[in-house]
């Protein structure tokens, strides 16, 4: 079962680098779509970033959004078609820098959508520049001496921030660095989609991810970095859960 | 059966007509002088089945919400005024690149920068030449009355769907705020099928992808060429102009939108003084009605372009008549509206030159 390709994942090879978490997360999202049998009524919104061509990988209907605007595009689709399932799939540059306003406001409106957020502490697609999530001291193409918070500011912790908003029904941070964490990540993604089916409001699942290519690491070194550097700075866990309180409007 | 006339503001007439034309999603952000459109939509949409009004966090979000709704096959609209339309340009480019229909209303105010809140026509370039990055065009309609605001809302939605491209209604603060009687146009309820929409495939067809990314140069070029072939059809079928007393006119005064009303008064006054003046008003700004201009060459000796800008349409007029006659310009900016007396003075000066043989 584990090795079988989910139906919601196209039978094509992806362009992701070896050891990149994007591939694992695509698989998890597809498995969830399969298990909930929602592929036929789902519209996915892909970002500008390494997941830009996800429209070729997910077999549900797909829309490619401008950089950072996926939650606004998702809002348009969902408001026009409340009976459809709408998710965004975004990187940290996309969601936490250029698209911060769209993230915050779709969350605070309680948009009934599911957001899959890939935090790899770097801009992957453009070749490894500082992201809003880049850790203090982390060397990137645009922080060649390491990110100095006095100069380049502090990293953004999205789950912590978004969970303060009343429209946020569910915020959980997960990782995909071990089989146990992958299992937990799938459970969180499943919950994010279930919440939408139940009309709970805005759900976001932040996934601590690897970018071996731009970190200049082997896949196994990259996994070690997630464990040793990222998880301590970005603690895993559920930051908000309104599902047993009837969702963000208290009516479910 | 003809409907009753009602007295309405231009912005409200446009909003009501859009709803009657099947617009079911409106996304906007407040800015003077277009806010009546949003206010009207916020009142009406909740009363309509499937109607959506949402005040977005920015013009950027609003146009991207329109993008999403349009991608799912729904008639969607946003409205703004000049600075807000600048912010929408990236989204407009994506919508055009994905061949999606939608309607964008620009109730123009003065610029550049924060400019002013008074009527202006200084977004002609933005609407007709630079609606965003990349090779694309918008359909651009220029209403000149409250009735036009209503009629063109319907026209814009129908043409946007027909040609699968974004349409802009380029209005201004004068038309938006002005009250006039309006009769709402008869609307056919039929909307074209949208088999390309991303709205869930129900396991009944391959997945639809709404996308403007082509990583292979030849694929991107092919998609642009295909779009421009469609634009040729649009040019043939859509270019529209209104003429007034041009049959024997030596002086063609041209201008669009609210300015054409002033030109008409000035032309009437000139005719009373025996001056052979006529008006040519482009109704669509893209496609530009080039043939209508060429048709006036048989009698015209000179053209006078009047705008509430520094003269953004002049070059299009020159190109339309292939520079075969001189094209003069008169205009005001900053929210100052040219008066019929000022335009008449310009006409008289040109007539004098013709009499003296200087033109
Ligand atoms: C308006 C705009 N600005 C900048 C870019 C260039 N750009 C493409 S991808 C990207 C960053 C993507 O990084 P991230 O969101 O972290 O995703 P990742 O590639 O790491 O998955 C940028 C800045 C763009 N396409 N559009
Ligand atoms: S550049 Fe980084 S984020 Fe992008 S595919 Fe490669 S490893 Fe993944």
């Amino acid at each position: 079962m584990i090795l079988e390709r989910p139906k919601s994942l196209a039978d094509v090879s992806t362009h992701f680098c070896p050891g990149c978490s994007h591939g694992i997360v695509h698989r998890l999202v597809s498995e969830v779509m399969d298990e909930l049998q929602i592929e036929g009524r789902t519209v996915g919104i892909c970002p500008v970033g390494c997941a830009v061509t996800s429209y070729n990988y997910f077999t549900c209907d797909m829309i490619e959004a401008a950089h950072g605007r996926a939650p606004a595009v998702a809002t348009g689709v969902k408001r026009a078609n409340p009976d459809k399932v709408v998710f965004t799939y975004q990187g940290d540059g996309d969601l936490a820098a250029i698209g911060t306003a769209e993230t915050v406001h779709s969350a605070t409106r309680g948009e009934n959508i599911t957001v899959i957020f890939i935090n790899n502490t770097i801009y992957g697609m453009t070749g490894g520049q500082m992201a809003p999530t880049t850790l203090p001291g982390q060397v990137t193409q645009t922080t060649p001496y390491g990110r100095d918070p006095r100069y380049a500011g502090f990293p953004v912790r999205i789950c912590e921030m978004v969970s303060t908003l009343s429209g946020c029904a569910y915020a959980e941070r997960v990782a995909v660095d071990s089989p146990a964490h992958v299992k937990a990540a799938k459970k969180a993604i499943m919950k994010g989609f279930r919440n939408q089916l139940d009309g709970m409001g805005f759900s976001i699942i932040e996934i601590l991810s690897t970018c071996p290519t731009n970190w200049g690491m082997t896949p196994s070194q990259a996994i070690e970095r997630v464990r040793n550097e990222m998880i301590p700075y970005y603690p895993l866990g559920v930051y908000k859960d309104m599902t047993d309180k009837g969702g963000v409007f208290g009516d479910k | 059966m003809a409907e009753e006339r009602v007295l309405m503001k231009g912005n409200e007439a446009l909003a009501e007509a859009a709803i009657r034309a099947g617009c079911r999603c409106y996304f906007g952000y407040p800015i003077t002088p277009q806010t009546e459109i949003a206010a009207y939509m916020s009142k009406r949409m909740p009363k309509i089945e499937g109607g959506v009004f949402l005040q977005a966090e920015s013009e950027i979000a609003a146009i991207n919400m329109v993008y999403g709704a349009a991608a799912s096959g729904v008639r969607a609209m946003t409205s703004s005024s000049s600075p807000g339309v600048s912010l929408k340009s990236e989204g407009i480019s994506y919508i055009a690149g994905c061949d999606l229909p939608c309607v964008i209303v620009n109730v123009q105010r003065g610029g550049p920068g924060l400019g002013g809140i008074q009527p202006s026509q200084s977004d002609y370039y933005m609407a007709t030449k630079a609606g965003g990055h990349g090779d694309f065009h918008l359909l651009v309609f220029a209403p000149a009355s409250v009735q036009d605001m209503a009629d063109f809302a319907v026209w814009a939605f129908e043409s946007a769907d027909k040609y699968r491209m974004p349409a802009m209604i380029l209005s201004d603060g004068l038309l938006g705020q002005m009250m006039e009687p309006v009769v709402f146009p008869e609307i056919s309820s039929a909307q074209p099928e949208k088999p390309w929409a991303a709205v869930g495939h129900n396991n009944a067809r391959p997945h639809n992808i709404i996308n403007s990314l082509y990583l292979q140069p030849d694929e991107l070029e092919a998609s642009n060429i295909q779009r421009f072939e469609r634009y040729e059809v649009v040019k043939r079928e859509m270019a529209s102009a209104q003429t007034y007393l041009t049959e024997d006119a030596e002086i063609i005064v041209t201008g669009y939108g609210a300015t054409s009303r002033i030109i008409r008064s000035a032309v009437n006054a000139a005719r009373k003084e025996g001056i052979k003046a006529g008006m040519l008003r482009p109704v669509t700004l893209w496609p530009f009605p080039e043939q209508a201009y060429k048709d006036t060459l048989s009698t015209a000796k000179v053209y006078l372009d009047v705008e509430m800008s520094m003269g953004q349409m002049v070059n299009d007029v020159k190109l339309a008549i292939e520079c075969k006659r001189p094209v003069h310009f008169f205009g005001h900016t900053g929210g100052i509206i040219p008066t019929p007396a000022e335009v008449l003075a310009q006409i008289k000066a040109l007539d004098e030159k013709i009499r003296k043989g200087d033109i």
Side-chain angles (χ1 to χ4, degrees):
Chain A
M1 186 65 200
I2 294 283
L3 291 174
E4 213 170 281
R5 183 180 54 80
K7 186 173 142 290
S8 302
L9 195 61
D11 190 9
V12 294
S13 58
T14 69
H15 69 286
F16 301 125
C17 312
C20 174
S21 305
H22 273 304
I24 303 173
V25 180
H26 272 61
R27 191 185 174 91
L28 297 182
V29 171
S30 300
E31 285 176 1
V32 166
M33 274 198 269
D34 280 7
E35 284 166 37
L36 294 173
Q37 299 186 329
I38 52 171
E39 178 211 343
R41 60 183 179 112
T42 296
V43 180
I45 321 292
C46 42
V48 173
C50 280
V52 66
T53 49
S54 292
Y55 50 74
N56 287 328
Y57 308 149
F58 294 121
T59 57
C60 57
D61 277 1
M62 294 294 296
I63 302 172
E64 204 294 298
H67 196 23
R69 315 300 170 211
V73 176
T75 298
V77 178
K78 187 71 181 184
R79 295 278 178 141
N81 308 276
D83 56 326
K84 304 294 157 136
V85 179
V86 183
F87 76 93
T88 72
Y89 184 108
Q90 304 174 257
D92 41 19
D94 195 84
L95 181 142
I98 195 168
T100 310
E102 284 76 6
T103 305
V104 166
H105 286 277
S106 56
T108 202
R109 281 194 304 266
E111 290 300 337
N112 192 30
I113 59 173
T114 308
V115 172
I116 308 295
F117 170 37
I118 303 294
N119 177 356
N120 59 10
T121 73
I122 205 149
Y123 282 23
M125 192 193 208
T126 39
Q129 300 79 22
M130 182 184 78
T133 46
T134 291
L135 295 177
Q138 185 180 337
V139 172
T140 70
Q141 196 185 58
T142 49
T143 53
Y145 309 112
R147 181 180 189 163
D148 177 1
R150 287 182 187 279
Y151 192 79
F154 293 96
V156 180
R157 290 187 175 99
I158 285 291
C159 274
E160 289 83 336
M161 182 171 95
V162 169
S163 63
T164 65
L165 302 168
S166 303
C168 175
Y170 175 61
E172 179 167 358
R173 183 180 291 126
V174 296
V176 286
D177 60 311
S178 68
H181 279 166
V182 170
K183 211 168 148 203
K186 180 169 169 187
K187 206 170 138 223
I189 293 170
M190 175 69 82
K191 180 148 177 164
F193 276 89
R194 275 235 170 85
N195 286 346
Q196 184 176 162
L197 297 176
D198 295 340
M200 292 290 167
F202 184 89
S203 294
I204 182 167
I205 298 93
E206 173 173 347
I207 298 134
L208 300 185
S209 300
T210 52
C211 177
T213 303
N214 288 301
W215 294 354
M217 291 181 180
T218 64
S220 56
Q221 286 171 332
I223 283 180
E224 285 306 312
R225 177 174 184 261
V226 171
R227 274 179 208 149
N228 301 334
E229 295 178 36
M230 286 174 70
I231 293 178
Y233 201 92
Y234 296 111
L236 305 184
V238 176
Y239 286 83
K240 181 92 177 269
D241 189 355
M242 297 291 287
T243 48
D244 55 2
K245 298 187 180 66
V248 298
F249 305 107
D251 58 354
K252 297 293 167 193
Chain B
M1 206 182 78
E3 269 198 65
E4 219 183 308
R5 276 168 177 269
V6 282
L7 194 65
M8 271 179 121
K9 272 193 179 185
N11 282 340
E12 293 178 345
L14 186 152
E16 175 60 29
I19 291 170
R20 293 182 187 216
C23 175
R24 284 298 168 268
C25 287
Y26 171 89
F27 304 102
Y29 186 86
I31 183 169
T32 306
Q34 65 79 49
T35 306
E36 294 82 6
I37 300 179
Y40 193 88
M41 289 295 193
S42 70
K43 230 177 354 192
R44 285 276 278 126
M45 279 300 195
K47 314 270 183 216
I48 294 166
E49 204 191 320
V52 174
F53 164 86
L54 189 62
Q55 181 169 326
E57 61 270 31
S58 69
E59 286 87 352
I60 298 175
I63 190 70
N64 283 287
M65 290 172 186
V66 167
Y67 175 38
S72 77
V74 173
R75 281 191 172 166
M77 176 171 119
T78 183
S79 62
S80 189
S81 181
S82 311
V85 179
S86 290
L87 280 180
K88 290 183 194 293
S89 58
E90 183 201 39
I92 293 173
S93 170
Y94 273 70
I95 290 169
C98 294
D99 298 318
L100 296 177
C102 74
V103 173
I104 302 133
V105 183
N106 181 357
V107 186
Q108 296 169 93
R109 56 188 259 180
L114 197 48
I117 59 168
Q118 300 300 323
S120 173
Q121 295 182 316
S122 50
D123 298 345
Y124 180 89
Y125 283 152
M126 181 160 73
T128 62
K129 317 279 182 236
H133 60 284
D135 278 322
F136 77 91
H137 287 292
L138 293 166
L139 284 165
V140 184
F141 300 92
S145 63
V146 173
Q147 184 65 53
D148 281 352
M149 293 282 265
D151 291 344
F152 291 10
V154 180
W155 194 15
F157 270 109
E158 288 177 349
S159 339
D161 269 355
K162 180 171 177 193
Y163 301 108
R164 283 189 62 180
M165 59 190 289
M168 177 173 280
I169 297 175
L170 191 66
S171 173
D172 62 63
L174 194 65
L175 294 166
Q177 308 290 327
M178 165 166 95
M179 285 186 93
E180 274 182 344
V182 57
V183 180
F184 286 100
E186 295 271 334
I187 287 151
S188 88
S189 56
Q191 286 186 25
E193 294 283 316
K194 296 178 176 172
W196 44 262
V199 69
H201 53 55
N202 240 338
N203 303 310
R205 55 159 170 79
H207 71 159
N208 281 340
I209 298 172
I210 303 293
N211 173 42
S212 57
L213 176 71
Y214 297 85
L215 288 170
Q216 300 305 324
D218 53 335
E219 286 176 18
L220 178 54
E221 185 179 63
S223 120
N224 285 333
I225 289 174
Q226 208 177 45
R227 189 166 305 113
F228 272 70
E229 282 167 0
R230 191 149 30 92
Y231 289 160
E232 285 306 311
V233 178
V234 176
K235 281 186 192 172
R236 278 199 302 279
E237 295 182 351
M238 289 295 295
S240 170
Q242 183 190 27
T243 53
Y244 178 64
L245 304 178
T246 51
E247 294 77 13
D248 61 344
E250 293 179 343
I251 302 172
I252 301 287
V253 191
T254 187
Y256 72 93
T259 306
S260 68
R261 301 165 69 108
I262 297 148
I263 295 171
R264 186 186 281 262
S265 306
V267 163
N268 282 338
R271 286 277 171 177
K272 278 203 189 111
E273 299 191 23
I275 300 171
K276 287 183 175 171
M279 178 191 79
L280 200 172
R281 166 200 164 203
V283 172
T284 53
L285 301 182
W286 197 92
F288 197 67
E290 292 173 359
Q291 191 55 45
Y293 282 90
K294 287 190 177 70
D295 290 346
T296 57
L297 278 169
S298 53
T299 59
K301 294 198 161 73
V302 65
Y303 291 75
L304 172 65
D305 173 30
V306 184
E307 297 176 54
M308 292 189 276
S309 82
M310 293 300 288
Q312 299 191 8
M313 196 175 78
V314 172
N315 285 343
D316 282 344
V317 176
K318 286 183 181 169
L319 282 174
I321 60 165
E322 293 165 1
C323 293
K324 286 178 175 151
R325 305 282 184 280
V327 180
H328 291 249
F329 173 73
F330 174 73
H332 279 300
T333 72
I336 300 168
I337 299 164
T339 64
E342 283 177 317
V343 178
L344 178 62
Q346 296 285 324
I347 295 172
K348 280 171 141 176
L350 290 173
D351 183 59
E352 183 106 359
K353 279 191 178 172
I354 293 171
R355 298 305 130 225
K356 280 192 187 153
D358 289 346
I359 288 179

